[in-house]
């Protein structure tokens, strides 16, 4: 047996992260923790873009550890661009603690570097990776490549898949399929290696239909492989870098075991975390986000206290109170559609789909009438937005790429959770019947 992989220890890096010569540790340290602070306390629908401002400034000044006198103007230019960015988002960031902290930090840096508030404010340059950085270093530690760290006599790892898309529909690591309300912020994954949180917002004001508008992924620091990294995507903003502007795992020896690749600009990114054998796909389809992950079972179950993982949606599924039986709604829609054909035609908004037009539209991309097809129909009926058809299509494309068992790509039965008010399903475990019979016998004594 190979030794168990060492547990993650997340360490905060002290001081400033390349913010310039002579910068005060208090202000810079504050900027360093802002991305993590925002991820822990996200606002559900906040349009505040302070994270983007922070990321751009860090990327522009990441090489400024030892600024010479001739480079000081460049730092001041980046600082003015940073200030300009915060002013642009001032109206939407009222009351945001991270925003006000950034504004005060900028003022401190202006004084420390003798920067004038008047001057050029060219956009900060994005940090470029050094030559050869796009390839994994051949001398990276073996522990930073999950599959290579398995001994030859050990069995190959078992991989699992979880995905979230549409209104939203959840496929868990155990291949259960649910449609959920889950409005607001919810944890998808929470284990020793990474955290994934999604925020779902109403598609239309007052609508019960929700979709994913924000996604935050925190990769925890791991041995000599990667530093802690935070990735964040929002509606109309799918960056191809972590919030600090980098595209790999930082400064450690095995940093390239964590990489972001942009597949389609603004629409599709892929994150490879080889040190934990994990692949993550994030897409923006229309205005909303989809998420898919391929992860070894060992990593999935690497939790400190399994009993406390009740809201780990990819592992446990949605709470029963948050689940929607979309198949019964679909049947009602079909019945209503047949009744409408027999009676007088009713006016409908131009964007609305009938059951027949929704099924026809979904069949264009999803010819097999599985749960992805049914989810597509449900979403078109509830939102009227054709992009939800594409979300279901791409979600299934991601399943084909990421799922290790090709016989389980299609699912046909939605998973139902038995709640106290439900009747017992057919096929109740024999042990339960024996217990009930014993109880009845005791009552008769």
């Amino acid at each position: 047996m190979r030794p168990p992989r060492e547990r993650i220890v997340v360490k905060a890096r002290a001081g400033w992260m390349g913010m310039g010569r002579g910068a005060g540790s208090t202000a810079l340290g504050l900027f360093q923790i802002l991305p993590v602070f925002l991820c822990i306390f996200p606002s559900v629908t906040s349009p505040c873009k302070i994270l983007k401002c922070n990321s751009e400034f860090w990327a522009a000044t990441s090489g400024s550890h030892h600024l010479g006198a001739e480079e000081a103007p460049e730092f001041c230019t980046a600082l003015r661009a940073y200030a300009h960015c915060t002013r642009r988002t001032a109206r939407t960031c009222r009351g945001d603690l991270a925003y006000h902290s950034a504004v005060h930090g900028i003022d401190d840096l202006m004084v420390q570097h003798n920067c004038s508030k008047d001057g050029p404010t060219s956009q900060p340059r994005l940090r470029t990776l050094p030559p050869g950085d796009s390839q994994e270093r051949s001398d990276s530690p073996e522990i930073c490549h999950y599959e290579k760290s398995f001994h030859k006599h050990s069995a190959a790892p078992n991989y699992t898949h979880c995905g979230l898309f549409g209104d939203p529909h959840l496929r868990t690591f155990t291949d259960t399929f649910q449609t959920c309300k889950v409005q607001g912020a919810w944890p998808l994954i929470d284990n020793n290696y990474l955290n994934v949180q999604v925020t779902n917002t109403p598609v239309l004001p007052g609508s019960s239909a929700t979709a994913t508008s924000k996604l935050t992924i925190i990769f925890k620091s791991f041995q000599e492989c990667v530093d802690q990294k935070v990735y964040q995507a929002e509606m109309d903003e799918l960056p191809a870098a972590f919030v600090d502007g980098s595209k790999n795992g930082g400064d450690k020896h095995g940093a390239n075991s964590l990489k972001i690749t942009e597949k389609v600009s603004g629409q599709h990114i892929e994150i490879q975390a080889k040190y934990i054998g994990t692949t993550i796909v994030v897409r923006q389809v229309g205005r909303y986000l989809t998420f898919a992950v391929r992860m070894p079972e060992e990593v999935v179950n690497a939790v400190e206290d399994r009993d406390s993982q009740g809201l780990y949606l990819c592992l446990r599924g949605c709470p029963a109170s948050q689940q929607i039986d979309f198949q019964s709604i679909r049947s009602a829609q079909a019945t209503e559609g047949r009744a409408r054909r027999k009676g007088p035609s009713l006016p409908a908004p131009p964007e609305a789909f009938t059951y027949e037009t929704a099924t026809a539209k979904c069949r264009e991309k999803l010819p097999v009438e599985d749960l992805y097809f049914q989810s597509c129909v449900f979403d078109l009926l509830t939102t009227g937005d054709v992009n939800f058809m594409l979300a279901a299509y791409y979600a299934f494309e991601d399943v084909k790429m990421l799922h290790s068992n090709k016989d389980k790509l299609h699912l046909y039965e939605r998973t139902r959770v038995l709640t106290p008010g439900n009747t017992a399903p057919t096929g109740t475990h024999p042990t339960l019947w024996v217990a009930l019979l014993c109880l009845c016998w005791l009552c008769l004594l």
Side-chain angles (χ1 to χ4, degrees), residues 160-173 177 186-191 194-200 211-219 231-233 238 267-273 276 278-285 288-295 300 312-315 372 390-392 394-399 401-402:
T160 58
H161 163 76
C162 177
L164 186 77
F165 68 97
D167 184 15
H169 309 283
L170 173 71
R171 180 171 180 159
T172 71
F173 284 128
F177 195 97
W186 291 79
L188 274 183
I189 299 174
D190 182 11
N191 60 37
L194 78 163
N195 302 102
V196 181
Q197 180 173 278
V198 292
T199 301
N200 303 310
T212 302
S213 58
K214 185 175 182 180
L215 171 74
T216 301
I217 307 172
I218 301 177
F219 295 89
Y231 178 80
Q232 185 165 292
L238 187 70
Q267 298 180 32
H268 180 191
I269 66 103
E270 184 176 300
I271 303 176
Q272 290 281 351
I276 51 174
T278 296
T279 301
I280 294 175
V281 175
V282 182
R283 299 178 186 267
Q284 176 164 308
V285 186
Y288 298 100
L289 304 172
T290 69
F291 171 85
V293 62
R294 180 179 187 259
M295 183 179 289
V300 168
Y312 177 168
L313 299 187
C314 275
L315 186 62
Y372 290 88
L390 296 175
Y394 285 123
F396 185 68
E397 290 298 300
D398 292 337
V399 170
M401 179 181 73
L402 299 174

Side-chain angles (χ1 to χ4, degrees), residues 73-385:
E74 184 178 348
F75 181 82
C76 290
T77 297
L79 197 55
R80 282 190 291 268
Y82 189 15
H84 180 66
C85 183
T86 60
R87 286 195 294 271
R88 286 202 311 269
T89 193
R91 178 175 297 179
T92 58
C93 291
R94 289 177 181 174
D96 190 296
L97 178 59
Y99 165 77
H100 291 289
S101 299
V103 171
H104 289 302
I106 291 170
D107 291 339
D108 289 343
L109 289 175
M110 285 281 192
V111 173
Q112 292 164 13
H113 289 269
N114 296 319
C115 296
S116 171
K117 293 186 178 181
D118 298 321
T121 57
S122 57
Q123 291 298 316
R125 69 188 189 285
L126 290 179
R127 182 174 63 166
T128 57
L129 298 175
D133 200 47
S134 60
Q135 301 297 322
E136 187 173 3
R137 291 169 55 166
S138 59
D139 61 343
S140 293
E142 188 178 85
I143 193 67
C144 298
H145 195 296
Y146 185 80
E147 291 186 353
K148 288 182 180 178
S149 68
F150 276 77
H151 297 297
K152 292 182 179 179
H153 63 271
S154 300
N158 293 320
Y159 288 93
T160 58
H161 163 76
C162 177
L164 186 77
F165 68 97
D167 184 15
H169 309 283
L170 173 71
R171 180 171 180 159
T172 71
F173 284 128
T174 56
D175 288 319
T176 59
F177 195 97
Q178 300 168 345
T179 298
C180 310
K181 304 172 188 176
V182 290
Q183 183 173 335
W186 291 79
L188 274 183
I189 299 174
D190 182 11
N191 60 37
N192 292 347
Y193 300 93
L194 78 163
N195 302 102
V196 181
Q197 180 173 278
V198 292
T199 301
N200 303 310
T201 54
V203 175
L204 297 171
S207 170
S208 59
T210 61
T212 302
S213 58
K214 185 175 182 180
L215 171 74
T216 301
I217 307 172
I218 301 177
F219 295 89
K220 301 177 184 179
S221 173
F222 181 66
Q223 298 183 11
E224 65 265 45
C225 302
V226 298
D227 297 319
Q228 178 166 297
K229 291 289 177 175
V230 179
Y231 178 80
Q232 185 165 292
E234 300 182 57
M235 287 193 303
D236 304 320
E237 187 177 337
L238 187 70
F242 296 109
V243 296
D244 62 8
S246 64
K247 293 191 175 186
N248 70 355
D251 300 325
K252 292 186 177 180
H253 198 49
N256 287 319
S257 60
L258 175 63
K259 293 189 298 184
I260 294 182
T261 304
E262 185 174 58
K263 298 294 186 178
V264 180
S265 179
Q267 298 180 32
H268 180 191
I269 66 103
E270 184 176 300
I271 303 176
Q272 290 281 351
K274 290 187 177 181
Y275 66 101
I276 51 174
T278 296
T279 301
I280 294 175
V281 175
V282 182
R283 299 178 186 267
Q284 176 164 308
V285 186
R287 298 188 62 211
Y288 298 100
L289 304 172
T290 69
F291 171 85
V293 62
R294 180 179 187 259
M295 183 179 289
E297 286 183 353
E298 180 189 30
V299 177
V300 168
N301 295 308
V303 295
E304 294 292 341
D305 182 5
R306 193 174 177 87
D307 292 336
S308 69
Q309 302 299 313
L311 293 181
Y312 177 168
L313 299 187
C314 275
L315 186 62
R316 295 292 182 87
C318 299
S321 62
Q322 294 291 320
Q323 293 183 37
I324 301 172
D325 186 357
F326 77 82
Q327 288 174 311
S328 64
I329 296 176
R330 181 175 65 88
S331 299
Q333 290 280 358
T335 303
E336 182 183 342
R338 289 191 292 270
R340 185 181 290 121
R341 287 198 304 272
K342 294 178 182 178
S345 59
L346 300 175
E351 304 85 2
F353 284 88
T354 64
Y355 178 75
E356 288 77 12
T357 58
T359 53
K361 191 66 178 176
C362 291
R363 201 170 283 119
E364 294 176 8
K365 289 286 188 180
L366 298 161
V368 178
E369 295 192 13
D370 60 0
L371 288 176
Y372 290 88
F373 172 85
Q374 294 177 26
S375 298
C376 172
V377 173
F378 174 81
D379 288 354
L380 291 186
L381 291 173
T382 55
T383 70
D385 185 348

